[in-house]
Amino acid sequence: MVHIKEFAWMDEHETWATHNLAETCCASVSLDDLLAFAGNKDRASVIDFSQKQTYGAIRGTDALRSNIANLYRDDQSEPLSKDNILITNGAIQANFLALYTNVARGDHVICHYPTYQQLYSVPESFGAEVSLWKADGQNGWRVNLDDLRSLIRPNTKVIIINNPQNPTGAVLSRDILQEIVNIARQHGIIIHSDEVYRPLFHSLQDEQEEPPSILSFNYENTIATSSMSKAFSLAGIRLGWIASRSREIIEQCASARDYTLISVSQIDDRIAACALSEPTVGNILKRNLDLARGNLDLLDGFLKEFAWAAQWVRPHAGTTAFVKFVNKNNLAVDDVEFCKRLQEECGVMCVPGSRCFGEDTNFKGYVRIGYVCERQVLIDGLNAWRKFMSDAYHSLPVAI
């Protein structure tokens, strides 16, 4: 393994933010909230205090894996079995484990970009060469399939996509996903889809269909990763999963997992199983979709106030927006200095695009904003940000 790149920004700044507008999870819920979503069940229905705390079910309980498999049910594909699900400590371990299993030195990997740093830095750390399949920020963060085809090599092992996309909130449609599958099938390439923000499709246009999981296209060499953190508001239980149509891939991941994890906490497993059961999961998602839509309208109003400075493509899904900030001469501001001063002077934490999504000059001036926090957190944060825009924004340096 070669040296892995530093995971940028969050650890250094998150602990002292007054207004955290960098959070990528839907506003977290408590176990009391979870019981309310479940129909005010007794607490013992979530946590059994008489249960002995052994390692528990190594791959995850049947109840949890069955509930996760149900998330992938649709009318176009065969139902997924619980045995095609492997439980992990969060999506971050699911991604790491699947990439560790499928990527080696000498392989070539193509990664949808911009995206979560782990998805391209981890394959690089394993000795693979990574090509970035860049979405076009001037065209609604759309992707070009001809660009993808041009990146294919004889040693291309994995295509990595992120749908919905962090940080842009853009969505790969069913038609685009089908073409990605067609390209991968033609070359025998694995598709690894980070779907941690699915199914938070809150702002699709009228003609847009909610896209399915990559597992819905009946291509065996597909992997979907996800977790309880983002769309389901339970980051604190640290529970995620790998899902695949291929039992061979699941078995290979399970074998590698023996060296990194015995099992997840029995308590976390049981809480997640409750959260993903009906009607609880539907109630959680309704709450989070409503929160996302209302908060996005607030952010939209704020950015319209400063339209001379802020340029963006309004997100269709997920919890994050990627906004470019410019000065009155339409030159990108130094996004790193912007985020540092915004937090130091007003307590508002955001993420600088050029620092956290690669040194690509296309992201100079870009800031990622997490907007599906508690509504009052967003209101207070935007009010503090308004003061910064009035008092200090004009003195920001231009990006070099």
Side-chain angles (χ1 to χ4, degrees):
M1 183 184 290
V2 299
H3 178 70
I4 195 167
K5 292 179 181 177
E6 177 187 359
F7 206 62
W9 201 262
M10 295 297 288
D11 285 352
E12 183 181 351
H13 293 83
E14 195 165 16
T15 56
W16 58 278
T18 304
H19 312 286
N20 187 351
L21 301 190
E23 179 57 70
T24 58
C25 301
C26 290
S28 298
V29 298
S30 68
L31 296 188
D32 282 338
D33 294 330
L34 185 63
L35 288 172
F37 288 129
N40 293 310
K41 290 183 178 180
D42 185 84
R43 291 188 175 203
S45 66
V46 177
I47 298 177
D48 180 0
F49 285 87
S50 69
Q51 183 180 36
K52 302 295 185 183
Q53 291 303 303
T54 64
Y55 286 118
I58 299 301
R59 297 191 180 195
T61 61
D62 288 352
L64 174 58
R65 290 185 294 136
S66 295
N67 287 347
I68 292 170
N70 287 337
L71 297 176
Y72 298 98
R73 284 187 177 272
D74 59 35
D75 296 332
Q76 284 77 42
S77 59
E78 291 293 319
L80 202 65
S81 164
K82 63 179 174 58
D83 294 325
N84 291 79
I85 308 292
L86 185 65
I87 304 303
T88 64
N89 283 134
I92 197 164
Q93 192 201 41
N95 284 328
F96 190 95
L97 183 60
L99 292 169
Y100 176 82
T101 301
N102 292 297
V103 176
R105 182 175 299 278
D107 287 338
H108 175 241
V109 172
I110 298 170
C111 187
H112 182 201
Y113 184 78
T115 193
Y116 188 48
Q117 182 184 343
Q118 182 195 33
L119 296 179
Y120 52 88
S121 288
V122 165
E124 285 180 341
S125 77
F126 296 151
E129 186 174 356
V130 177
S131 296
L132 300 177
W133 181 30
K134 297 181 180 180
D136 185 355
Q138 302 303 310
N139 190 26
W141 298 109
R142 292 180 174 87
V143 294
N144 186 312
L145 290 165
D146 287 334
D147 289 346
L148 175 60
R149 293 183 183 97
S150 72
L151 293 172
I152 301 289
R153 302 179 188 174
N155 64 332
T156 302
K157 184 72 178 296
V158 181
I159 297 170
I160 301 170
I161 59 175
N162 182 202
N163 195 36
Q165 186 186 37
N166 170 13
T168 69
V171 171
L172 298 174
S173 68
R174 174 187 288 275
D175 290 345
I176 293 293
L177 292 172
Q178 182 65 69
E179 285 303 311
I180 295 170
V181 169
N182 293 345
I183 292 167
R185 181 181 276 119
Q186 179 183 355
H187 297 277
I189 297 169
I190 295 168
I191 303 174
H192 177 125
S193 182
D194 182 329
E195 298 178 353
V196 75
Y197 295 98
R198 183 179 181 272
L200 207 66
F201 300 104
H202 48 70
S203 303
L204 294 176
Q205 297 170 356
D206 291 341
E207 70 277 9
Q208 285 182 295
E209 173 192 15
E210 185 174 304
S213 167
I214 198 64
L215 302 181
S216 294
F217 293 86
N218 295 313
Y219 177 48
E220 189 169 80
N221 289 336
T222 50
I223 297 165
T225 58
S226 192
S227 82
M228 299 302 299
S229 300
K230 309 299 184 183
F232 302 106
S233 297
L234 285 164
I237 65 172
R238 306 310 306 131
L239 192 139
W241 59 86
I242 299 169
S244 178
R245 289 280 172 195
S246 169
R247 288 294 300 278
E248 181 180 359
I249 287 176
I250 290 294
E251 291 305 314
Q252 289 172 344
C253 289
S255 179
R257 180 180 180 273
D258 289 337
Y259 290 91
T260 60
L261 174 74
I262 296 174
S263 63
V264 300
S265 156
Q266 286 190 79
I267 295 172
D268 292 349
D269 186 302
R270 185 152 178 168
I271 293 169
C274 173
L276 296 181
S277 65
E278 291 292 354
T280 315
V281 63
N283 291 333
I284 292 172
L285 288 174
K286 182 182 184 306
R287 175 258 196 186
N288 288 347
L289 287 165
D290 290 345
L291 183 63
R293 291 178 182 123
N295 283 10
L296 187 56
D297 285 342
L298 289 174
L299 178 60
D300 187 42
F302 170 80
L303 294 174
K304 283 177 179 173
E305 288 180 43
F306 302 100
W308 60 268
Q311 304 169 0
W312 74 323
V313 178
R314 183 175 167 126
H316 291 150
T319 66
T320 60
F322 210 34
V323 183
K324 185 177 182 180
F325 285 89
V326 300
N327 64 15
K328 291 189 176 180
N329 295 318
N330 204 37
L331 298 175
V333 301
D334 183 329
D335 50 287
V336 175
E337 184 66 19
F338 180 18
C339 288
K340 284 181 178 178
R341 288 182 55 184
L342 182 61
Q343 186 162 347
E344 289 169 356
E345 297 177 24
C346 298
V348 178
M349 180 184 173
C350 292
V351 170
S354 66
R355 174 70 62 85
C356 298
F357 295 96
E359 299 300 325
D360 191 315
T361 55
N362 288 338
F363 299 147
K364 297 292 185 182
Y366 277 92
V367 171
R368 188 188 71 183
I369 304 169
Y371 57 86
V372 196
C373 47
E374 295 285 356
R375 184 150 298 158
Q376 194 61 48
V377 171
L378 182 64
I379 290 170
D380 293 345
L382 294 180
N383 284 337
W385 198 334
R386 282 186 178 89
K387 178 174 174 55
F388 182 87
M389 295 299 290
S390 299
D391 297 348
Y393 185 81
H394 67 279
S395 66
L396 288 173
V398 172
I400 298 174

